[in-house]
């Protein structure tokens, strides 16, 4: 038997290649909801000499996802939306009624959550600032996830300044049992949480500080996990662990935050089985008086957004075909860094303003590159197109999460994308403020603000 050949080197970003399945066909424009395609065509016509880059938001889609999740989960499971996934004000307003609250990681996110009338706030993430902790202490926070013993002291100091007591949970970086997904935050050395060997000391510190109320533990271990059985087993295992750990650490368990990570499958692949996940949870409820919190982000908002960028050039280099888009990881970083391969649709644009012939790629596989001066600016590889011309529009569905918030906005100082809102069920255009950044930094013009679409 011939020796197995070693795998070929995989270019960055690795997740864009599918060696076992070959190229992914580009989606036709008809795969997009009609209101999305219509809005993009109109914006392209109105863009003038500049190529179009745009985010189309469908807040109602996010609201429907929240309602579905809430209906399927057992009553004892609480849903706190992770604002970091998408902070568009219209999206937050749509999510607020169907969730128990919002998970925030900065003053800006907290302000956006309150403006959207979130029912409650929890605060998670490393590197919390004193200003953030003080603001949360003064305005109210359900609980704060502590990442270290130093952070416990800083939370206690904020509580003292506000004259309040703050409920805290300890974020755990567990040594075993990580889920599989796009990114893993525990099960190995990362900057997140407190190692299991240091938890007893952290619990003792939390119990000793008068401004703190130690209530439980927090795990956020993975992003984009598609295995519903494994995810339910994760929640159950962490809950059973927390019951034992709280007893050993000398306090009454009242909160288990099991984190987020519910996965979103690419077009044509099996989705996360929400029904099975919920059924597994119902079979193993928490002890009386213990809250179980989930922090979904991408699962709630991925299909509420579309990113579109016009093709500025097409070329063949060393036998490979490239389409250069007007926007790349400066607008839409998710495909590159979150190890998520997305599909792309091609929308024909008839207008061609130049006197020269219009270049096109025909019936071939193409890499979709951005305009930045780095070879890492690739949004997709292995996309099979029937025809893709300079001037056509490439649209990425499932772009409602970790898009503009996650992007490398400052590199080269290019124009930000237009942000616009549609309703894909009832075509009733709405106006949205294009600035999706939150907090004081966004207000003072630290970076260019997106061009506003004044649809009426």
């Amino acid at each position: 038997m011939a020796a197995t050949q070693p795998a070929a080197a995989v270019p960055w970003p690795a997740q864009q290649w599918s060696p076992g399945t070959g190229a992914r066909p580009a989606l036709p424009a008809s795969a997009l909801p009609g209101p999305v395609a219509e809005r993009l065509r109109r914006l392209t016509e109105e863009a003038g000499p500049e190529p179009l880059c745009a985010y189309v938001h469908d807040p109602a889609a996010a609201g429907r996802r929240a309602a579905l999740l809430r209906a399927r989960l057992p009553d004892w499971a609480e849903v706190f939306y992770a604002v970091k996934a998408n902070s568009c004000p219209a999206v937050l307003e749509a999510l607020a009624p169907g969730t128990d609250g919002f998970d925030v990681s900065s003053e800006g996110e907290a302000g956006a959550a309150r403006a959207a009338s979130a029912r409650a706030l929890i605060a998670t993430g490393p590197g919390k600032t004193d200003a953030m902790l003080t603001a949360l202490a003064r305005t109210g926070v359900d609980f704060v996830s502590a990442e270290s013993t130093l952070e416990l002291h800083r939370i206690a100091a904020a509580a003292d300044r506000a004259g309040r007591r703050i409920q805290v949970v300890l974020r755990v970086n567990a040594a075993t049992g990580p889920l599989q997904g796009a990114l893993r935050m525990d099960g190995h050395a990362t900057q997140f949480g407190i190692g299991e060997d240091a938890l007893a000391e952290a619990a003792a510190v939390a119990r000793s500080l008068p401004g703190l109320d130690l209530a439980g533990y927090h795990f956020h271990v993975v992003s984009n996990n598609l295995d519903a059985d494994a995810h339910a087993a994760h929640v159950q295992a962490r809950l059973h662990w927390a019951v034992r750990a709280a007893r050993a650490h000398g306090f009454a368990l009242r909160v288990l935050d099991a984190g987020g990570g519910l996965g979103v499958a690419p077009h044509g692949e099996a989705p996360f089985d929400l029904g099975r996940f919920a059924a597994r949870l119902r079979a193993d409820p928490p002890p009386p008086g213990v809250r179980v919190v989930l922090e979904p982000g991408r699962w709630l908002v991925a299909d509420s957004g579309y990113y579109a960028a016009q093709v500025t050039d097409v070329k063949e280099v060393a036998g490979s075909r490239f389409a250069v888009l007007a926007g790349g990881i400066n607008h839409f970083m998710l495909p590159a860094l979150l190890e998520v391969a997305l599909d792309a649709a091609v929308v024909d644009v008839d207008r061609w303003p130049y006197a020269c012939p219009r270049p096109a790629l025909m019936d071939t596989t193409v890499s979709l590159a951005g305009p930045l001066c780095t070879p890492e600016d690739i949004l997709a590889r292995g996309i099979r197109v029937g025809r893709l011309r300079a001037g056509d529009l490439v649209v990425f569905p499932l772009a409602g999460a970790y898009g503009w918030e996650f992007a490398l906005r400052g590199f080269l100082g290019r124009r930000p994308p237009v942000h616009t809102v549609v309703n894909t069920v009832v075509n009733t255009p709405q106006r949205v403020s294009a600035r999706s950044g939150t907090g004081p930094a966004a207000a003072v013009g630290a970076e260019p603000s997106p061009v506003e679409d004044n649809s009426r």
Side-chain angles (χ1 to χ4, degrees), residues 6 23 40 87 150 157 170 291 331 342 345 361 375-376 397 430 438-439:
L40 287 171
S87 61
L150 172 59
L170 303 177
R291 303 168 56 194
H331 293 171
L342 295 182
L361 297 172
E376 284 86 359
Q430 305 168 53
T438 56

Side-chain angles (χ1 to χ4, degrees), residues 280-438:
R280 287 281 304 269
L281 292 187
R282 281 196 190 87
D284 191 11
V290 176
R291 303 168 56 194
V292 175
V293 172
L294 303 177
E295 304 166 10
R298 187 166 183 250
W299 192 92
L300 287 174
V301 296
D303 66 355
S304 72
Y306 304 79
Y307 174 68
Q310 214 160 353
V311 179
T312 62
D313 203 356
V314 296
K315 61 177 70 177
E316 182 172 335
V317 179
S320 296
R321 273 71 56 191
F322 294 87
V324 180
L325 310 183
I329 58 177
N330 57 324
H331 293 171
F332 187 40
M333 189 71 128
L334 174 103
L337 285 190
L338 203 56
E339 299 185 4
V340 174
L342 295 182
D343 293 289
V346 175
V347 176
D348 290 344
V349 174
D350 294 332
R351 181 170 62 91
W352 178 246
Y354 306 106
C356 62
R358 186 175 188 177
L361 297 172
M362 306 295 294
D363 193 24
T364 189
T365 299
V366 62
S367 293
L368 303 175
L372 304 185
C373 298
T374 170
E376 284 86 359
D377 192 10
I378 299 288
L379 296 187
R381 300 183 191 268
I383 300 294
R384 187 83 187 180
V385 296
R387 183 184 74 175
L388 182 61
R389 304 169 297 178
D392 284 339
L393 202 62
V394 173
V395 185
F396 295 88
L398 296 178
Y402 300 104
W404 182 238
E405 288 78 5
F406 199 47
L408 197 65
R409 302 185 193 186
F411 191 31
L412 299 193
R414 285 181 171 264
R415 291 179 58 175
V418 170
H419 286 247
T420 187
V421 166
V422 300
N423 187 327
T424 56
V425 175
V426 179
N427 190 10
T428 53
Q430 305 168 53
R431 183 180 182 184
V432 61
S433 171
R435 184 186 295 277
S436 61
T438 56

Side-chain angles (χ1 to χ4, degrees), residues 78-354:
E78 300 179 22
V79 175
F80 278 72
Y81 167 64
V83 174
K84 62 182 70 67
N86 186 331
S87 61
C88 172
V91 172
L92 297 185
E93 289 170 8
L95 286 169
T99 58
D100 295 285
F102 287 172
D103 164 32
V104 301
S105 297
S106 70
E107 286 180 88
E109 287 187 354
R114 292 194 182 92
S117 301
R119 294 179 178 178
L121 302 185
I122 61 175
T124 67
K128 303 176 191 71
T129 66
D130 289 341
M132 173 192 177
L133 293 172
T134 300
L136 289 169
R138 288 173 176 165
T139 57
V141 61
D142 195 323
F143 62 81
V144 176
S145 170
E147 297 265 347
S148 68
T149 52
L150 172 59
E151 193 165 84
L152 286 167
H153 284 282
R154 293 175 55 239
I155 297 168
D160 181 65
R161 287 191 292 271
R164 295 190 179 186
R165 204 158 183 245
I166 296 178
Q167 187 169 250
V168 296
V169 297
L170 303 177
R171 181 167 180 177
V172 182
N173 191 325
T176 59
L179 291 168
Q180 297 302 310
L183 298 175
R184 284 173 45 195
M185 287 76 165
D186 79 352
H188 60 116
T190 68
Q191 69 269 39
F192 302 105
I194 303 167
E196 289 184 81
D197 58 346
L199 279 174
E201 177 189 357
V205 169
R207 291 170 54 209
S208 72
L209 293 171
L212 303 186
D213 175 16
L214 179 58
Y217 305 95
H218 173 210
F219 295 87
H220 181 63
V221 304
V222 76
S223 294
N224 209 51
N225 170 52
L226 289 167
D227 188 334
D229 284 317
H231 213 94
H234 150 72
V235 176
Q236 293 160 341
R238 304 303 188 185
L239 178 59
H240 297 161
W241 177 94
V243 170
R244 298 191 300 271
R247 189 180 303 120
H249 295 153
F251 70 97
L253 180 69
R254 283 167 286 142
V255 177
L256 172 73
D257 184 339
L262 306 185
V264 177
H267 179 80
E269 296 188 17
F272 183 88
D273 191 337
L274 180 59
R276 187 167 181 81
F277 175 65
R280 287 281 304 269
L281 292 187
R282 281 196 190 87
D284 191 11
V290 176
R291 303 168 56 194
V292 175
V293 172
L294 303 177
E295 304 166 10
R298 187 166 183 250
W299 192 92
L300 287 174
V301 296
D303 66 355
S304 72
Y306 304 79
Y307 174 68
Q310 214 160 353
V311 179
T312 62
D313 203 356
V314 296
K315 61 177 70 177
E316 182 172 335
V317 179
S320 296
R321 273 71 56 191
F322 294 87
V324 180
L325 310 183
I329 58 177
N330 57 324
H331 293 171
F332 187 40
M333 189 71 128
L334 174 103
L337 285 190
L338 203 56
E339 299 185 4
V340 174
L342 295 182
D343 293 289
V346 175
V347 176
D348 290 344
V349 174
D350 294 332
R351 181 170 62 91
W352 178 246
Y354 306 106

